[in-house]
């Protein structure tokens, strides 16, 4: 089977190393600091009345994040190494749910998908137009890993800038407008780049 | 990863963010953009490989299959789709670079007109059938029970190499047949024959950078030649450094290589050999030692071609001949090459041999023409084709000597001159099976069409037709999951055919992948390098994409052959037809790739159509201008296309480029332009039996119609501005010659 | 905001240029095209199609000059050679052939002794040369081959396209690139009218509708947009690749390394005629080439110590200050 070319594997290793280092630094500084709030991060203004979207499985974010304290990046694992955060692969869900809560109707539904070898077709909630190139990777680096006083455990607070308090939701819905003004306000407050070609190309 | 059939293609099976209009921005069409929540779907991977990260491209090594050069490529894969081809820096052939045809490989893979289902001819009509039905038909006609064996069965392919070639030979042996026709329209078969006879090796190595001058008789090194990307790189080295090499190109119609020449010389078609002897005559002038060293017959021959006589025959002025000779004397070692325009005549072999004589006289053998040696695995080396086998097929079909023919990687129905009557003769073959990716003319006239995987979906190993110093096997691996479920790998089919005949030998291989893996494990330790296990070696080979196999040293033994030329007569009313080859559409196989249709011809800048090239004097004589339609008529037929006037062509030559004029082959190719191959006269090279592509005489007449010739370019000249600055080589030598600037 | 930026940048550039060069960029992507190596093969152009989602527009639209080839290769014939052909008056071909050569006489090419004139095509007592109006000292052929010139956006620092955009959709980036923001563009086409190189391409049609019939659209590069009708576009020096490389470097807390990435055209060029890199990095190959050839930015006329060096910028005299350095082709004989 195909083996990735070394360019990619090297990249992977470096990204991984950077990530581990980042987590370590962030965690240690959080330990030392222990203060509350998110320094240097001003949530951009603007609200959006989100629609409730019917998903193939009514995924309860609250149970996973709020009750079980699972880190956002445990499932949305691509966020720290790619521009897209990614929907967790079905195998990741099954990693726990082969044994946990297997009798619940939603898990039964998930198991059905798994056995059919077919991932659920989720409906997209947070979207930006095609000419907008937003990258999760860089934002996480800036606001989590490079941010002194920000523990990686509290990444959900950073995610919440744009995604709202997902940990209080069941199925995620959009609460922020995610338009250019929304982005620009945050870039202004945090001295983000204002080069058009950063996001549009 | 494990070797079973499902797992090994997993990395794409996972599907990922596939389909139209999902998460991946940019691949989406603007009309389907919606920001409303819950409108678009996003599909996660079921079980991703660890290296798959959505939004991040990964490169996989493979081999380009667009021409027989066998360049190594890296395919950029994102979200399970292959997006772009790039050269593989580890390949000694293309060293990380790629030509336009290689770039356009992805368009062959994603071509909207690909064959998606097997087709079987029923009651004269090709009908889509299931694989079961198709294979049952195959079994009935060629299976062991059919009783088919011996030379009534044949394979008709393009250039083949690597394990594909090994399996093909094995299948022919299993069928007890010796009929393997190998057909390439763009070939150097005559030159190879001359090399074999005069040097003892068909494809010696040309050391371009070592040459201080290249005199090329129509050899399109950097264009439609044996290995365009390799020789482009070599050309760059030849043109830089302390003593920049001079390129003199002699040909009836300017090729891409001719476009970069220091001196471009038009020559009367077919007289290149005479010019070579004339130059040899000048080179030897006064060099009694060298003259004495020549065999008698060659000495007499060369002595017979003095400048005045040669100028009269070739149309190249005497001072040019003398100057070229002087340059060759001053700039030793040099390299003299023969190309398609030399080969394409009834006396093509004689001309190419005369050109090799010039090389011998100049002492280039062993300096710039080197032995390529032999490969430790000769069965893997490329079996390069020519047009002789096309004639042989027509002949065998005419004699009703064939029952079943398998076609792969070649489109003879399109490339065969009409005079051969191939389409009619093929009707004498009761069962024609075509393994094809695209619906070309041959596929559409077959009895059974088996849709195979594209080059980006299949496994394989290849060796380029031209091997540089470092001989290598290039590995082809799938860059993505198959697009259409009803297509199958050619290697898999070949293996299945073999299993049907020789169960015992091949039953242990589940599929072609398994066969290749096994073959790699069986390679000697010398090529395995530092690999710790077979699995490790396999993984490393796939990752690198190229396997250097070393060379068994060889030697060249120059030998003279008998050379004689026919009497050259001039006929002002008749023109020579030059069916010129283009780096791009090649022999027509890339006419279905829209990028290459819209990529202008490098010299004329014409897009999307055919054209007729002529000299301004010819145009004036005919009373035509650019854009006028003219009818080019040979004894075998006529084609009509628009005129393109320029000075890079001999006044007696009319050039119509190859590649267009398809009757099938999908939406981008069908019904576009004309195919000059169709009107070729059935003249062959007397010695090798190769079709004389440049040997057809035509008349030209204005047809009265006129349209604007569509070209992608601005002005023909620089209009007095400094767009392309030019300096003389002396300046270059002074300022950069000794320094390695880049 | 952007309008402010552009005005500020412009005046800063002007001031900087007067003071002997504008060097405030974060990076400064530049290119070198060695015409001595260029063979005009077109690989770069097709690579650009593959990388940048360029639509194939078809024969008819090509005929209307609507092709979207961001990188094109111009092919020029040497001027003196073309004159006799261009000067043929259609109505007077006969007279012309009968020995009234065109009035426009140009410089003559290498001489050849008349005793060697082939006389091959002799007709009606006249040699070929006499009939077509060549007097035996002028070559009737394209002696020096063709001249090939790869033309991509020159990424001018004093870009003529930028100040005329009414909506500031084209502006200068901190990377020293001449940017085009598609979602901002209203299609006034002022910029393309003002470009002396004719390197801006306008979407006259909704190419996305038919340029990528399924499944060809699966090849589209997700790293950049597919442009819609009414939008101007141009070579971006593969901004998406620059972004990936810069992001990667930033994630790894280092600088972009020279040669770490290059644009699609540079990567594929079979002869290595194209070189790309950061001119702010003195160690990069482009920087070395620019300084070796003694071409400086911010000038309309180079004052070279060694006048024989090959480097030049196209139409530099218009004060566009391009980022692409061309090296003259070399010819002999």
């Amino acid at each position: 089977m195909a083996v990735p070319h070394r360019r990619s594997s090297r990249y992977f290793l470096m990204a991984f190393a950077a990530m581990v280092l980042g987590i370590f630094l962030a965690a240690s500084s959080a330990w030392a600091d222990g203060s509350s709030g998110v320094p240097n991060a001003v949530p951009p203004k603007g609200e959006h009345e989100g629609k409730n979207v019917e998903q193939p499985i009514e995924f309860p974010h609250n149970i996973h994040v709020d009750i079980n304290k699972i880190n956002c990046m445990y499932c949305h694992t691509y966020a720290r190494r790619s521009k897209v955060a990614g929907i967790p692969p079905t195998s990741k869900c099954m990693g726990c749910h082969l044994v946990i809560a297997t009798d619940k109707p939603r898990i039964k539904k998930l198991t059905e998908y798994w056995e059919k070898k077919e991932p659920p077709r989720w409906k997209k909630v947070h979207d930006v137009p095609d000419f907008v190139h937003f990258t999760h990777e860089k934002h996480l680096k800036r606001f989590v890993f490079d941010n002194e006083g920000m523990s990686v455990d509290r990444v959900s607070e950073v995610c919440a800038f744009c995604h709202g308090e997902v940990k209080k939701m069941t199925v995620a819905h959009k609460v922020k407008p995610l338009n250019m003004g929304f982005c620009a306000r945050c870039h202004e407050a945090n001295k983000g780049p204002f080069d058009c070609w950063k996001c549009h190309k | 990863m494990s070797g079973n059939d499902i797992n090994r293609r997993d990395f794409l099976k996972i599907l990922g963010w596939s389909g139209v209009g999902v998460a991946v921005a940019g691949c989406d069409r603007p009309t389907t953009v919606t920001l409303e929540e819950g409108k678009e779907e996003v599909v996660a991977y079921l079980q991703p490989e660890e290296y798959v990260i959505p939004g991040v491209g990964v490169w996989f090594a493979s081999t380009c299959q667009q021409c027989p050069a066998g360049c190594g490529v890296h395919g950029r894969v994102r979200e399970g789709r292959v997006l772009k081809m790039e050269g593989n820096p580890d390949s000694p052939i293309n060293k990380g670079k790629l030509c336009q045809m290689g770039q356009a490989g992805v368009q062959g893979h994603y071509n909207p007109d690909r064959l998606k289902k097997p087709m079987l001819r029923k009651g004269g009509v090709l009908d889509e059938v299931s694989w079961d039905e198709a294979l049952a038909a195959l079994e009935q006609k060629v299976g062991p029970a059919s009783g088919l064996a011996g030379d009534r069965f044949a394979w008709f392919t393009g250039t083949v190499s690597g394990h594909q070639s090994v399996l093909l030979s094995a299948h022919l042996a299993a069928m007890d047949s010796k009929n393997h026709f190998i057909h390439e329209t763009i070939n150097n078969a005559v030159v190879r024959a001359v090399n074999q006879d005069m040097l003892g090796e068909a494809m010696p190595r040309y050391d371009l950078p070592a040459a201080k001058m290249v005199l090329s008789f129509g050899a399109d090194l950097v264009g439609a030649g044996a290995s365009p990307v390799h020789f482009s790189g070599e050309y760059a080295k030849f043109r830089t450094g302390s003593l920049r090499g001079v390129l003199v190109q002699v040909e009836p119609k300017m090729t891409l290589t001719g476009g970069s020449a220091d001196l471009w010389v038009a020559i009367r078609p077919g007289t290149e050999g005479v010019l070579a002897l004339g130059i040899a005559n000048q080179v030897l002038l006064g060099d009694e030692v060298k003259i004495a060293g020549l065999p008698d017959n060659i000495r007499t021959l060369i002595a017979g071609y003095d400048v005045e006589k040669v100028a009269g025959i070739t149309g190249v002025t005497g001072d040019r001949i003398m100057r070229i000779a002087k340059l060759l004397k001053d700039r030793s070692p040099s390299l003299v090459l023969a190309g398609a325009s030399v080969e394409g005549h009834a006396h093509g072999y004689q001309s190419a041999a005369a050109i090799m004589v010039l090389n011998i006289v100049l002492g280039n053998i062993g300096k710039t023409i080197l032995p390529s040696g032999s490969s430790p695995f000769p069965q893997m080396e490329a079996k390069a084709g020519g047009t002789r086998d096309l004639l042989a097929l027509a002949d065998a079909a005419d004699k009703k000597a064939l029952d079943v023919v398998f076609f792969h990687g070649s489109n003879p129905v399109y490339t065969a001159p009409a005079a051969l009557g191939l389409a009619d003769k093929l009707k004498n073959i009761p069962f024609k099976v075509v393994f094809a990716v695209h619906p070309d003319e041959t596929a559409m006239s077959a009895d059974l069409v088996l849709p195979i995987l594209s080059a980006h979906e299949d496994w394989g190993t290849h060796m380029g037709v031209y091997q540089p110093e470092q001989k290598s096997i290039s590995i082809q691996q799938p860059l993505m999951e198959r697009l259409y479920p009803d297509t199958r790998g050619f290697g898999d089919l070949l293996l299945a055919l073999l299993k049907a005949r020789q169960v015992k030998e091949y039953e242990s291989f589940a599929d072609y992948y398994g066969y290749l893996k096994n073959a790699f494990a069986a390679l000697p330790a010398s090529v395995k390098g530092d690999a710790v296990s077979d699995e490790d070696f396999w993984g490393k080979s796939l990752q690198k994409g190229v396997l250097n196999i070393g060379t068994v040293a060889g030697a060249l033994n120059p030998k003279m052959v008998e050379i004689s030329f026919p009497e050259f007569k001039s006929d002002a009313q008749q023109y020579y037809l030059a069916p010129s080859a283009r780096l791009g559409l090649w022999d027509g196989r890339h006419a279905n790739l829209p990028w290459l249709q819209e990529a202008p011809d490098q010299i004329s800048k014409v897009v999307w159509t055919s054209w007729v090239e002529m000299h301004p004097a010819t145009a004036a004589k005919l009373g035509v201008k650019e854009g006028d339609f003219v009818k080019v008529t040979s004894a075998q037929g006529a084609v009509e296309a628009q005129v393109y006037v320029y000075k890079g062509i001999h006044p007696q030559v009319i050039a119509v480029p190859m590649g267009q004029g398809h009757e099938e082959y999908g939406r981008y190719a069908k019904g576009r332009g004309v195919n000059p191959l169709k009107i070729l006269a059935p003249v062959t090279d007397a010695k090798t039996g190769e079709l004389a592509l440049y040997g057809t005489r035509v008349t030209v007449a204005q047809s009265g119609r006129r349209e604007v010739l569509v070209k992608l370019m601005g002005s023909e000249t620089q209009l007095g501005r400094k767009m392309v600055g030019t300096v003389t080589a002396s300046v270059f030598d002074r300022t950069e010659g000794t320094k390695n600037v880049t | 905001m952007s309008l402010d930026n552009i005005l500020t940048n412009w005046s800063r550039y002007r001031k900087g240029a007067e003071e002997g060069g504008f060097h405030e960029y974060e990076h400064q992507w530049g290119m070198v095209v060695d015409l001595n190596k260029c063979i005009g093969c077109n690989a770069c152009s097709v690579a650009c199609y593959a990388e940048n989602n360029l639509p194939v527009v078809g024969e008819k639209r090509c005929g209307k000059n609507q092709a979207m080839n961001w990188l094109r290769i111009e092919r020029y014939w040497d001027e003196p050679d073309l004159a006799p052909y261009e000067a043929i008056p259609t109505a007077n071909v006969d007279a012309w052939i009968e020995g009234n050569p065109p009035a426009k006489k140009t410089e003559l090419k290498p001489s050849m002794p008349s005793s060697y004139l082939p006389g091959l095509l002799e007709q009606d007592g006249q040699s070929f040369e006499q009939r077509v109006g060549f007097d035996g000292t002028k070559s009737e052929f394209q002696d020096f081959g063709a001249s090939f010139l790869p033309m991509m956006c020159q990424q001018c620092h004093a870009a003529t396209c930028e100040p005329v955009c009414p909506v500031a959709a084209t502006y200068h980036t901190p990377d020293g690139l001449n940017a085009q923001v598609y979602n901002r563009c209203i299609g006034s086409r002022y910029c393309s009218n003002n470009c002396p190189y004719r390197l801006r391409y306008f979407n006259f049609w909704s190419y996305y509708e038919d340029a990528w019939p399924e499944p060809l659209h699966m090849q589209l590069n997700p790293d950049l947009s597919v442009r819609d009708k009414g939008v101007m576009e141009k070579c971006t020096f593969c901004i998406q690749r620059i972004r990936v490389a810069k992001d990667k470097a930033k994630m790894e807390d280092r600088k972009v390394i020279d040669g770490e990435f290059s644009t699609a055209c540079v990567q594929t060029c079979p002869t290595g005629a194209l070189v790309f890199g950061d001119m702010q990095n003195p160690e990069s190959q482009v920087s070395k080439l620019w300084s070796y050839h003694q071409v400086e930015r911010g000038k309309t006329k180079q004052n070279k110590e060694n006048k024989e060096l090959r480097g030049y910028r196209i139409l530099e005299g218009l004060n566009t200050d391009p980022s692409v350095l061309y090296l003259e082709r070399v010819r002999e004989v």
Side-chain angles (χ1 to χ4, degrees), chain A residues 138 141 195-197 201, chain C residues 171 180 225 243 247 250:
Chain A
K138 292 285 290 294
K141 182 174 161 66
D195 178 13
C196 310
W197 258 4
K201 53 192 180 247
Chain C
Y171 74 104
Q180 176 72 24
S225 331
R243 282 282 171 269
D247 283 359
K250 221 162 192 173

Side-chain angles (χ1 to χ4, degrees), chain B residues 52-66:
Chain B
V52 172
I53 302 175
V56 177
V58 189
W59 280 264
F60 291 94
S62 191
T63 303
C64 181
Q65 289 294 288
Q66 297 285 89

Side-chain angles (χ1 to χ4, degrees), chain B residues 239-240 244 732, chain C residues 34-38 310 328-330:
Chain B
R239 294 293 240 183
T240 45
R244 174 182 178 276
F732 179 78
Chain C
D34 188 348
L35 298 176
N36 178 38
K37 291 184 190 166
C38 178
R310 295 189 292 140
E328 286 164 339
R329 79 176 177 149
V330 183

